[in-house]
Amino acid sequence: MAKINLKLLKKEAQKEIKKTRDLKGLNEVFNKYLGKKGELSLILRSLKKLPKLRRAKIGSEVNELKDFLKIKFEQKAEEIKEKIKQKIEEKEWIDITAPGRKPALGHLHPLTLVKRKVEEIFQSMGFTVIEGPEIETEWYNFDALNIPKDHPARDILSLGKTLYLKAGGLMRSHTSSVQIRYMEKNNPPFRIVVPGRIFRQESTDSSHEINFYQLEGLMVDKNISVANFKAIIEEFFRRFFGKDTKIRLRPSYFPFVEPGLEVDLICLSCQGKGCSVCSQTGWLEMLGAGMVHPNVFKSAGYNPKFWQGFAFGMGLDRLTMMKYKINDIRLFYSGDLRFLNQF
Ligand code: PHE
């Protein structure tokens, strides 16, 4: 039999007892030393082979050690129980004077903030806010707006940017479709703005997305001219950016207006001198507009001899990017909280 080193055993058992953190662990250590098949029991059993005198001596030493360790185990068990009790008490203790934890509140998306601001400005100038469906028919999105069947925007293949649906219909490619929907059901005179999401087949980059937001405007009355449009859009920019801005009108073409024009805003970064924001031109393209085409009035059932009006379509994403100096449109749709939490 190997030499029995009770001193070492005692030392190790004590070390292990000390290290345990819970009752389960303590039980394991107990079994290892004092259990039926524990080390001390094994030693006692092996003593049979020894001569009587020696057996008695070692036997009493082992029993002494057993008693000693039992006490150590009991002490440790008490210690652990006491700690558990303390922990429970700590947990249950409530400091009613501590300030409450602030719940994380959601907030409006920057596009919504801008949409609301824009609506508010137009409402104060007598415009009503109207909405229309995102899924459209070719009639409302194209035909009724005087867009011919062979117009490139309608191309189902590579050229066109319209997203057609398998079941028929399409995702509206602009908010102009709501012009017709509104005029079908309402009589002039009126002023409306139509904010809404629109869809296009695009390769995305920092200024292109497969969906974005537009604000359509339509004012119809008996004596409306480009001068009315100019006054309203100038006032809008002044109120939106909160300072004196300058705009210019350029001739342009859209099938649903005649004449058609585009509105540029003087670059807010360089005041028209030319910088990287405006590609050195001093101006920023902001919206398409024009006087409503007689064929559009006819589509809606109005007599173009009596009624005149202007229409415009402006990108809300663009406006938001300018207001908050955001350089990538994709951030709006990324759901990235590092971006969103700044608003
Ligand atoms: N619907 C046009 C576009 O999406 C913008 C526009 C609206 C132009 C109304 C003229 C009048 O580009």
Side-chain angles (χ1 to χ4, degrees):
M1 195 180 90
K3 209 171 163 244
I4 298 165
N5 193 340
L6 287 180
K7 259 195 194 153
L8 187 69
L9 211 64
K10 185 176 173 182
K11 236 182 163 178
E12 269 172 8
Q14 278 183 281
K15 224 201 246 164
E16 282 184 53
I17 293 170
K18 212 173 163 193
K19 268 203 310 205
T20 50
R21 296 261 163 272
D22 52 27
L23 292 173
K24 188 170 167 265
L26 191 65
N27 199 38
E28 276 162 22
V29 182
F30 182 90
N31 284 335
K32 182 175 168 190
Y33 291 97
L34 301 184
K36 260 190 200 157
K37 287 180 185 164
E39 304 223 10
L40 292 181
S41 309
L42 289 180
I43 294 171
L44 282 177
R45 242 173 276 154
S46 68
L47 295 181
K48 282 178 214 147
K49 294 166 200 156
L50 295 181
K52 214 175 177 183
L53 253 179
R54 212 165 135 59
R55 193 196 309 167
K57 186 173 177 285
I58 298 180
S60 79
E61 275 176 18
V62 171
N63 280 327
E64 231 172 76
L65 178 57
K66 252 181 143 175
D67 291 341
F68 174 81
L69 288 179
K70 263 187 199 154
I71 294 172
K72 289 280 165 201
F73 275 114
E74 271 160 28
Q75 284 174 346
K76 182 72 184 184
E78 278 311 307
E79 206 180 283
I80 291 173
K81 280 183 201 157
E82 189 56 36
K83 268 199 188 136
I84 293 173
K85 220 171 108 194
Q86 265 177 17
K87 253 193 201 154
I88 291 174
E89 278 169 4
E90 256 170 43
K91 249 194 212 156
E92 281 177 354
W93 186 72
I94 296 168
D95 180 359
I96 54 164
T97 65
R101 215 172 282 159
K102 219 174 156 191
L105 283 183
H107 53 85
L108 295 178
H109 191 280
L111 285 173
T112 308
L113 291 172
V114 163
K115 177 180 155 240
R116 292 197 178 175
K117 179 81 188 156
V118 171
E119 285 172 358
E120 186 191 307
I121 296 172
F122 278 105
Q123 277 172 323
S124 78
M125 295 193 285
F127 286 76
T128 308
V129 179
I130 298 295
E131 283 187 9
E134 290 173 355
I135 294 178
E136 267 300 2
T137 60
E138 286 202 54
W139 167 255
Y140 288 112
N141 200 79
F142 294 129
D143 299 301
L145 288 163
N146 198 38
I147 301 175
K149 288 264 188 260
D150 61 355
H151 192 280
R154 300 179 68 153
D155 192 348
I156 297 194
L157 299 172
S158 56
L159 260 178
K161 293 188 170 179
T162 306
L163 291 155
Y164 289 89
L165 298 170
K166 263 197 189 138
L170 47 82
M171 302 306 292
R172 67 176 175 196
S173 61
H174 54 183
T175 43
S176 301
S177 50
V178 190
Q179 287 188 26
I180 309 295
R181 285 188 176 275
Y182 185 82
M183 287 194 284
E184 273 178 350
K185 295 213 164 83
N186 297 274
N187 289 320
F190 64 80
R191 312 171 187 197
I192 58 166
V193 282
V194 186
R197 189 181 193 175
I198 66 133
F199 305 83
R200 289 182 191 178
Q201 189 180 313
E202 295 276 8
S203 307
T204 54
D205 62 28
S206 63
S207 54
H208 294 88
E209 253 296 358
I210 49 105
N211 64 190
F212 53 96
Y213 286 81
Q214 279 189 335
L215 182 94
E216 191 82 8
L218 181 63
M219 177 171 180
V220 178
D221 208 326
K222 288 232 159 90
N223 274 306
I224 298 290
S225 73
V226 173
N228 298 109
F229 168 68
K230 192 166 177 250
I232 282 189
I233 210 68
E234 251 170 357
E235 178 65 11
F236 165 73
F237 281 125
R238 208 174 297 133
R239 302 256 288 270
F240 184 79
F241 288 108
K243 54 181 166 193
D244 243 347
T245 51
K246 226 169 117 182
I247 60 164
R248 72 176 182 190
L249 307 183
R250 277 183 296 116
S252 184
Y253 175 74
F254 302 93
F256 34 96
V257 285
E258 177 59 36
L261 40 105
E262 238 154 285
V263 182
D264 294 342
L265 180 69
I266 195 151
C267 178
L268 301 173
S269 301
C270 66
Q271 259 52 257
K273 286 184 205 83
C275 68
S276 61
V277 174
C278 56
S279 317
Q280 310 305 327
T281 62
W283 295 91
L284 298 163
E285 278 177 36
M286 291 308 293
L287 60 144
M291 300 306 292
V292 180
H293 195 287
N295 287 348
V296 173
F297 280 145
K298 278 185 206 155
S299 305
Y302 288 5
N303 185 342
K305 287 206 180 87
F306 291 144
W307 301 107
Q308 292 174 325
F310 66 76
F312 62 87
M314 143 164 80
L316 289 178
D317 299 60
R318 183 84 200 271
L319 213 53
T320 311
M321 288 168 84
M322 284 174 66
K323 185 170 177 91
Y324 296 115
K325 302 199 165 38
I326 296 162
N327 58 12
D328 196 322
I329 189 174
R330 292 168 295 192
L331 286 167
F332 291 139
Y333 307 95
S334 65
D336 189 336
L337 289 176
R338 290 169 304 180
F339 168 71
L340 293 173
N341 281 338
Q342 297 177 55
F343 297 90

